[in-house]
Amino acid sequence: MNTKQEFTRLMNTQTEIALATCVDGQPNVRIVNFYFDETAKVICFSSFRDNEKVREFESSNKVSFTTIPHEGNEHIRAKGTVKKSSRTVFDAAEHFIKKIPGYKDTIEQAGDFLVLFEIAFDSAVITLDFENTETYMLTE
């Protein structure tokens, strides 16, 4: 498997991640739309600033995620750290809209209330099927 090629393909074609947090020993998971910022090597997603997950990020910046396949079993999973981005949702709008065209309406209607977050991670496990699973190092 060409891990870099498969990582890029899946990051470009899958639109959602299941994002997990854990605060005070209590796990919590939710589904969010995302895009992968190739330059910064971070996953970007947005959230309403008063959302429960934002409060959880303030308690612990450690998260894990898996992309959500819409066909088959292909997915990427990793552990990392989350932080508020120095950019805004409006700065990232073209990336979201390119990947998820309907996100344009979300940004137009709620963009002023959304905060952009970034997940940094060093490695990710890529699973194509039951026989093809490998780890990709983002520094490769």
Side-chain angles (χ1 to χ4, degrees), residues 3 7 12 18 36 63 71 77 81 90 93 98 126 137 139:
T3 56
F7 176 85
N12 288 335
F36 183 71
V63 296
E71 291 181 26
R77 63 185 170 86
T81 56
F90 299 107
K98 179 180 176 186
I126 302 167
M137 302 302 295
T139 56

Side-chain angles (χ1 to χ4, degrees), residues 14 69 71-76 127-130:
Q14 295 182 335
E71 291 181 26
N73 190 41
E74 295 182 332
H75 65 279
I76 294 172
T127 298
L128 299 182
D129 55 38
F130 296 115

Side-chain angles (χ1 to χ4, degrees), residues 1-15 34 36 38 67 71 73-76 99 126-129:
M1 168 191 325
N2 181 326
T3 56
K4 181 176 183 175
Q5 179 181 331
E6 294 300 334
F7 176 85
T8 301
R9 180 179 67 82
L10 292 173
M11 283 294 180
N12 288 335
T13 58
Q14 295 182 335
T15 58
F34 80 97
F36 183 71
E38 192 73 39
T67 60
E71 291 181 26
N73 190 41
E74 295 182 332
H75 65 279
I76 294 172
K99 189 169 188 182
I126 302 167
T127 298
L128 299 182
D129 55 38

